[in-house]
Structures are given as C-alpha cells and as structure tokens.
Amino acid sequence: MVARIIPAPVSVQERGGSFRLTENTRGKIEYKLDPKCGLPPEGYTLNVTRTRVKAVASTPAGLFYAKQTLRQLTDGDQIPCVRIKDYPRYSWRGFHVDPCRHFQSVEGLMAMIDVMAQYKINTMHWHLTDDQGWRIEIKKYPRLTSVGAWRTEWDGGVHGGFYTQDEVREVVAYAAERFITVVPEIEMPGHAVAAIRAYPELSCTEEPVGSFSTWGSPDIVLCPGKEKMFEFLDDVIAEVSVLFPGEYIHIGGDECKKTRWQKCPACQARIKAEGLSATADATPEERLQSYAVRRMEGILAKYGKKLIGWDEILEGGLSPNATVMSWRGEKGGIAAAEQGHQVIMTPSHDGMYLDHYQGDPKIEPETISGDNTLEKVYSYNPSIPVKGVQGNLWSEYIYSEAQRQYMFFPRAFAIAEIGWTLPENKDFTAFCTAVDRACEDLDARGINYHIPMPEQPGGSYNHVAFLDKAVLEFTTSRPMRMVYTLDGSEPTPESATYEGPFEFTSDATLRIACVTSYGKLGPVRTLNIEKQQLRPSVKAEGEHGLNLRTTYGFFLNWADIPASAFWTAPMPIEGTRDIPKLEPTHYNMTGMNFYAAEATGYINVPKDDVYIFSTVFDQLWIDGELLIDNGSEVKKHTRADNSIALQKGGHAIKIRFLSNVHGGWTTARNRGDILYRRADETDFHTVRTDRLYRTI
Ligand code: ACM
Ligand code: ZN
C-alpha cells in the first residue's frame, strides 16, 4: 500500500512493485525543471517505476514539493511504484506565530519552518509587534527593543527578547531555502503599547506607559492625528521592507479601541481636515482608522510592498488594494471578496486558531478558549474562492516552546492539507493514519505534539464519587485506542484496551491513556473512583447570600497570606459573583487594589445525589472538605472539577479567591461562578443566590 501523503495529492495511481534505493540507484532519481511542462507553479509530477524515479516541475518549488512527497512515500529502502500528479488548491498556505506575548527563539522558529515546508506550507506570518512586546530591531528607534522588548511580569520576573536584523535575515533565508515566504506584521494603529512605551509621543496623550503584562486590547493606541506617528511608521517600514523580500507586509489593524481618539484634539482635527464625518455604517473614528490604514498602504507602496490587514480594516472603508485576512469568521472575507479584494481565510472558531483548545478544557493545559479539535480544523473548507488559508498560533497562554509545539502539532498538518488538497480528496480517517506517521517523525526530531487524553463526555474529572455504581465512559478528540490499568500500575501499550463504559460498584483506581498506532503513550490520567455515603445536610433556611471577609495585598497563593494579615469583619454579599468584583478593574491593572477574599455560608442542594462542582475560584470547600483547589494554575479555566455525594439540604460552603494577575490573566475578569451538575447531567447549573444561605 502506498503511504497516505500529507497533504493528499491531486491524483495518485498505484502501479504495484517498488523501486529499491541502493548505492547505485541514486543516479536513476531525476529531478527535471521544465518551465514548459504545463504544470501550475508549485505543481509537479512524480513517476516511480521499478527502475527509475522521475520528478518534473515548472519551478524549483514544484521540485522541492516532489521531493517532500518522495520522502513520505519512502519506506525503508523501498519506494512504491506510483504516478502522481499534484498541485496546490491555494497559493497562500500559511501559518502564523506570535513571539510577542511569549518570545520564541530563532531555533524554535526554524524547527517549525523546517517541518511545515515538508508539508508544503509556503507562508509564515510573523507577528512581530504587539502591546506586550516589540520583537524586531529597528536601528533608527533603538528604544523599541531596549524598552519595548521587555516587560516585568506580575510575579516579578522579566520576560522578553527580540530578533536582531541579522537574525531576521537568517530566518527569512532559512525559510526561503524551503520555499516559505516570511510575511512580517507591524501592528497599527492598535496593539502598539510596546512602541508607545518606548516612544510615548506616538500616542494621543503622550503619557508615559508602564510595562504591559496582561492580555486584551487596551485603549492606548497610536495617534493618527499626528504626522510624526506616520513618519515613525514610514521609518520602520523603510527598515522592515528590505529585510523581507516578499511582496506583502501585514499591518494588523485589529481590535483598535477608538475611545482616546474621540477626546484627542489632534485626532479630531484630522477628522475635520479630512472630512471624516459619520456615515451610515461608520463612525468618524472608524473612518479615521480607515484613513490611517490608507496612509499605511501609501507608505508600503513607496517601498514596493502590498498591504494585508485583519478584517477590521473593512470598517470605515477598505484601502484600494488591501488584502483582507478574515479572522472573525468568514464574514469580513466574504465582504472583501465582494468588493474585489483578495482574501485569506483564518476564521478563529472554524478551526483556524491553533491557540484554542484541541480537547476537553477540563484536562488540557490552559488556553485562551474555544474548541478546535483536529477534526474541526481538518473540516474547514472556505465557502468562497480565496487566495488562501492560514492557521494562527497566538501565544498568550503558551509558556514554553514545548507547549507551543503541543498546540501547533498535529493541527498544523490539517492546515497544510486544507491549503493544498482538493476537498474531494480529503478524508479524515486516512488523514489520521498519515498524522501518526508525521508525528512519529516529530518524535525523531524531538518536537512535541498533542496526543489526546481519554475524556469523559460532559466534562472530565478525576475524583469520581458514587453511591451505588459509577458508569464511566471515555471518548477521544480524534480516533485512538485507549489502554488502562485497575491495579494502580502505569499503563503500557500492552495494557487492556478500553472497549466500552466501565461499571464500578466499589472503590477503584483507574489509570487510562491513549496509545498511538506506533505505540507511544499519551498523558496518563489517574481517576479515583470512590463509593461515598451522602454527607448529612443541615436544614437550609434563613437569609440568602454569603458572608465575605477580605484582606488587601497581591498574593499568588493562599499560603502566601501572612498570619498577621488584617481581615475585614464579615460582610453580607448577595452571591458568588460579588466576590471578584470588589474593586474596579483597569486595562493593565495598574494602581489596582488586589485582595484575598473568603466567602462562607451554606449551599442548599436539591436532592440526594452525587454532585460535580466546578469553579475558577482558587478554592472551594464543602462540609469542611477542600473539594476544588486550583493551586498555582492560571485561573481562566479550571482543571480541578470534583464530585461529592450530598444529602438534600444545606451544606457548609467556603470559597477562597485571590484577586491577582497570573500568567497574564486577571482573575478579576472571571465571572465568579460556582457550577454544579448531578452525575447523570451533562450541563452545569450556576449556584445562584437562592441556593445560598448566610446563616442557618
Ligand atoms: C486577532 O486575533 N486579533 C487578529
Ligand atoms: Zn490622537
């Protein structure tokens, strides 16, 4: 059988037999460049017979891709006899990296480039500037990197780094050798706090700005009212344009808050001078953004470059020759195409954002949000003709290179196939087989990747309380065998295979993991299954709400609160959502009063049953037992759901909350919910005031 290639070629004819690679067959492998062969630019033909191998293409890129196909076909010293004709569906097959939120080394980048080229990706979108870091050396503005490339984190650490122009040239050349064009992104007019920290005169207020170490979209943006802001961008592009030989520069344009422009005399003068009054579908400030992007298009043209921007550049009117990168769904891309513009589809929730979850959030490492499983990524198919597709890997919640790779692979292989393969040749089952081979190849290079974990439908949790029996079912985010043990030992690929739901009637320890077709074990989950008696209740009646006490200070762990801390006397609150909202929040939490809070009272549960609780509060105690402890994890989502058997009625509850910033996430942004579901339910309920009592 001929190995399934990623991305699947246009046509593969198997011919039986194989070509054997030996010392003296090398001369019988021919790569022929024939500009008149009639194949599309990146296309190729590959003929393997028992006696020779011949690749033909009209461009060196085509021959490079023929070689990548040949590499995947080769099995030991055999190449199966085939006739392949192949060319890409799209001319832009991209991946995006974000070294701004968390810096990525040149070596890390090169490893990604190397792999992606083998799967016929031809574009790397390098997001080089953002609020949290400016990552490219600009000789005329040294403070962009001496100041803008470094930030102090809330735990006191310093994070940062930047690429020298020599390093940029090195990366660009390395990519070019592999037929990957690097497209730099220089963000304007929003997501530019790092530049403004270095040069405050670029903003409306010109106020000094401190380290920016939280995620989101601040209102501190560039000032398009000021000519010197455009001079700055012109100078930056003058240096950037010569480092990147490609035809495009990405100018960002997304998520620019326009509140300061409304109050800025320079911005308002510009609006007046340029006649940017409100229209039926745009505010004056949206038209000001459009004006700024249009100016940017002129600057790029001066240096021989074309403009790409995120779909927000549609607001207030598109620049004449802009290419639109559609990330907020396909809507922007469709509108741009209707206006005759080129479009690159990268809709976040349709699978193109590789920073989203790829498995059950209850057990996967923290991510921004979302649900982009390998299958969902793979299923994406642009609904209109476009220039191309791209997978984006934002790095807010990526704290190491290993984690960056974990988020990227194998979903990046799906991006490669969407970009190249005709929809009629896509087949998820066949693709998964090829993914296994590709992942084995990653192992050989020491590159990390995602292997699914066995997941419980409705949300995974590791401590399973039950009354009479526990029925436990497991699924995987992509098809994969699961193996398990019940004696506490570490599962191996030879352990028993999961065949269907478990039924437990006594205490047990279940250790379960996925195992790949090549015998590699994924992360092992350990579940403690415990027969419980109902925790006895007390009569729940009295005043609704909870009692809250607080102490001020920035604490990352509950244990860090000093014994001498001054706690306020308990005060009544209505419900759990009051707990994280005691202080107003600020875009960067500067001057924020951080605090620790403890809320106590009783929760009234509706019937005798096992309850699964979930919360991103630091701790949840029920009947004096620490049920959920989110420990030192980033508290945007929780991986600590837990179950307990409770008798109908009132149970003591204690909630502990630390208002802080950890890993860039501000806990004050959490909604402040305690959620519960009964073991036979799949949806969580929110614990509202009517279930809470201050006193009994
Ligand atoms: C984006 O994700 N803000 C383009
Ligand atoms: Zn302004």
Side-chain angles (χ1 to χ4, degrees):
M1 249 272 287
V2 173
R4 167 60 152 75
I5 308 297
I6 299 176
V10 172
S11 79
V12 181
Q13 274 174 268
E14 300 185 30
R15 308 163 106 188
S18 61
F19 176 90
R20 195 155 156 259
L21 283 165
T22 60
E23 280 302 314
N24 48 19
T25 53
R26 302 265 179 241
K28 291 176 187 146
I29 301 180
E30 188 193 354
Y31 290 96
K32 187 166 191 287
L33 191 63
D34 176 6
K36 297 208 179 67
C37 67
L39 285 162
E42 296 172 299
Y44 64 92
T45 56
L46 182 64
N47 280 306
V48 181
T49 66
R50 284 171 205 270
T51 54
R52 62 195 292 242
V53 174
K54 186 173 182 185
V56 179
S58 63
T59 62
L63 287 184
F64 177 79
Y65 293 141
K67 197 169 180 180
Q68 303 318 313
T69 297
L70 199 58
R71 190 187 61 84
Q72 288 190 50
L73 281 173
T74 306
D75 185 6
D77 64 353
Q78 308 284 322
I79 306 175
C81 295
V82 282
R83 188 191 291 273
I84 291 178
K85 183 173 184 187
D86 201 10
Y87 49 84
R89 182 181 186 194
Y90 296 118
S91 65
W92 180 298
R93 304 179 301 280
F95 74 101
H96 150 290
V97 283
D98 166 19
C100 296
R101 275 55 178 266
H102 286 106
F103 188 63
Q104 184 176 25
S105 69
V106 166
E107 297 72 42
L109 270 172
M110 284 179 170
M112 277 189 176
I113 290 169
D114 207 22
V115 175
M116 293 321 288
Q118 295 191 344
Y119 297 93
K120 306 185 176 95
I121 284 282
N122 68 357
T123 306
M124 181 177 97
H125 171 169
W126 205 1
H127 182 79
L128 285 166
T129 72
D130 212 306
D131 300 313
Q132 297 85 2
W134 182 284
R135 302 286 176 233
I136 179 170
E137 178 191 26
I138 301 294
K139 307 252 190 216
K140 189 161 181 183
Y141 297 92
R143 286 175 59 82
L144 286 173
T145 44
S146 67
V147 174
W150 306 96
R151 66 174 188 256
T152 305
E153 302 282 41
W154 287 90
D155 62 5
V158 172
H159 182 88
F162 66 92
Y163 308 105
T164 63
Q165 295 199 352
D166 280 344
E167 286 172 326
V168 168
R169 274 187 282 267
E170 203 186 331
V171 169
V172 168
Y174 189 85
E177 282 164 23
R178 289 156 181 78
F179 298 92
I180 287 180
T181 303
V182 181
V183 176
E185 180 179 352
I186 305 295
E187 273 258 12
M188 58 78 68
H191 283 302
V193 172
I196 294 167
R197 276 182 59 213
Y199 299 98
E201 61 271 25
L202 298 171
S203 74
C204 291
T205 62
E206 308 199 359
E207 282 164 340
V209 180
S211 208
F212 192 83
S213 315
T214 61
W215 318 130
S217 317
D219 61 355
I220 299 179
V221 300
L222 297 171
C223 175
K226 298 186 176 118
E227 233 10 67
K228 68 184 165 200
M229 191 281 281
F230 289 106
E231 283 158 21
F232 164 80
L233 289 171
D234 192 316
D235 291 339
V236 168
I237 297 301
E239 292 190 35
V240 168
S241 60
V242 293
L243 293 169
F244 295 89
E247 60 181 324
Y248 291 101
I249 291 180
H250 198 303
I251 60 89
D254 60 315
E255 299 179 315
C256 178
K257 289 226 169 83
K258 298 173 181 74
T259 40
R260 295 205 174 187
W261 294 356
Q262 289 166 349
K263 291 186 229 130
C264 169
C267 285
Q268 291 306 313
R270 178 80 77 188
I271 284 171
K272 200 159 170 217
E274 298 292 333
L276 306 173
S277 50
T279 61
D281 36 48
T283 63
E285 286 74 25
E286 282 171 342
R287 293 192 66 200
L288 181 60
Q289 156 136 345
S290 169
Y291 163 85
V293 174
R294 217 171 280 243
R295 290 275 307 260
M296 199 64 177
E297 183 168 50
I299 292 169
L300 295 187
K302 191 169 124 191
Y303 298 101
K305 302 293 180 185
K306 292 192 204 154
L307 181 145
I308 297 186
W310 300 110
D311 57 65
E312 284 91 334
I313 65 170
L314 280 150
E315 292 157 12
L318 258 185
S319 294
N321 299 305
T323 296
V324 171
M325 198 168 259
S326 194
W327 73 280
R328 297 176 302 174
E330 284 197 332
K331 201 163 58 64
I334 292 168
E338 279 166 1
Q339 295 173 36
H341 291 257
Q342 302 246 46
V343 171
I344 295 145
M345 285 296 192
T346 180
S348 54
H349 300 313
D350 295 333
M352 297 296 97
Y353 268 37
L354 305 184
D355 60 340
H356 287 25
Y357 279 107
Q358 54 193 322
D360 185 354
K362 299 288 187 188
I363 44 178
E364 288 287 337
E366 186 72 65
T367 85
I368 190 161
S369 64
D371 166 30
N372 285 343
T373 60
L374 181 70
E375 185 164 14
K376 185 166 164 194
V377 177
Y378 187 79
S379 319
Y380 177 62
N381 182 21
S383 67
I384 56 163
V386 288
K387 183 177 178 65
V389 291
Q390 182 175 291
N392 293 348
L393 186 61
W394 300 100
S395 73
E396 284 95 331
Y397 299 91
I398 289 176
Y399 303 101
S400 69
E401 192 60 22
Q403 201 192 341
R404 203 182 295 264
Q405 295 170 344
Y406 178 90
M407 297 304 286
F408 196 60
F409 297 113
R411 291 184 293 180
F413 299 137
I415 301 289
E417 183 139 327
I418 298 164
W420 182 281
T421 301
L422 297 172
E424 57 268 32
N425 288 336
K426 282 171 69 183
D427 173 341
F428 186 61
T429 307
F431 171 74
C432 283
T433 315
V435 161
D436 279 359
R437 266 179 58 127
C439 287
E440 220 178 337
D441 204 44
L442 295 178
D443 276 330
R445 295 156 177 261
I447 292 177
N448 194 27
Y449 56 92
H450 176 258
I451 298 177
M453 280 179 265
E455 302 176 352
Q456 289 139 279
S460 300
Y461 59 108
N462 292 334
H463 173 238
V464 181
F466 71 93
L467 291 167
D468 302 320
K469 70 173 179 192
V471 179
L472 279 188
E473 189 187 344
F474 291 91
T475 59
T476 54
S477 59
R478 66 182 157 105
M480 204 165 279
R481 187 163 73 93
M482 292 177 259
V483 289
Y484 68 92
T485 65
L486 289 167
D487 60 3
S489 67
E490 186 83 4
T492 69
E494 288 72 43
S495 298
T497 297
Y498 172 85
E499 306 276 6
F502 294 97
E503 248 191 57
F504 295 99
T505 51
S506 57
D507 290 3
T509 301
L510 171 66
R511 307 198 71 197
I512 187 163
C514 289
V515 58
T516 67
S517 62
Y518 47 96
K520 182 174 176 177
L521 217 60
V524 177
R525 288 191 59 202
T526 302
L527 290 92
N528 292 310
I529 296 114
E530 187 199 357
K531 187 171 170 68
Q532 286 191 347
Q533 305 296 322
L534 295 169
R535 305 295 200 260
S537 62
V538 292
K539 203 169 163 96
E541 56 187 21
E543 216 177 301
H544 284 300
L546 294 166
N547 295 312
L548 187 78
R549 61 177 198 141
T550 54
T551 186
Y552 278 82
F554 185 88
F555 310 109
L556 282 172
N557 292 292
W558 194 265
D560 296 344
I561 303 170
S564 60
F566 172 80
W567 288 88
T568 59
M571 64 164 191
I573 57 167
E574 211 171 286
T576 62
R577 288 189 183 171
D578 294 338
I579 301 170
K581 301 284 180 282
L582 296 186
E583 292 288 329
T585 59
H586 180 258
Y587 78 92
N588 194 23
M589 312 305 287
T590 42
M592 168 82 185
N593 291 319
F594 295 102
Y595 60 93
E598 187 174 75
T600 50
Y602 294 85
I603 178 172
N604 180 22
V605 300
K607 57 184 251 193
D608 293 358
D609 212 333
V610 170
Y611 291 84
I612 300 153
F613 282 89
S614 182
T615 187
V616 287
F617 283 125
D618 291 75
Q619 295 178 357
L620 171 67
W621 299 65
I622 303 248
D623 287 336
E625 188 181 323
L626 177 56
L627 193 67
I628 294 181
D629 183 0
N630 282 303
S632 57
E633 302 221 319
V634 173
K635 288 159 196 79
K636 187 171 204 274
H637 306 100
T638 176
R639 305 197 294 167
D641 286 5
N642 201 354
S643 58
I644 187 169
L646 298 175
Q647 185 183 26
K648 171 180 161 62
H651 296 267
I653 185 171
K654 180 163 75 184
I655 299 161
R656 285 176 163 174
F657 169 69
L658 297 172
S659 170
N660 61 26
V661 184
H662 178 38
W665 176 251
T666 303
T667 55
R669 298 220 176 107
N670 286 333
R671 192 152 60 168
D673 282 334
I674 303 286
L675 305 171
Y676 73 93
R677 64 180 169 97
R678 298 197 310 278
D680 61 353
E681 293 178 312
T682 49
D683 292 332
F684 281 98
H685 310 272
T686 306
V687 174
R688 300 199 189 279
T689 305
D690 61 358
R691 294 223 159 271
L692 296 171
Y693 293 86
R694 293 181 52 215
T695 51
I696 299 274

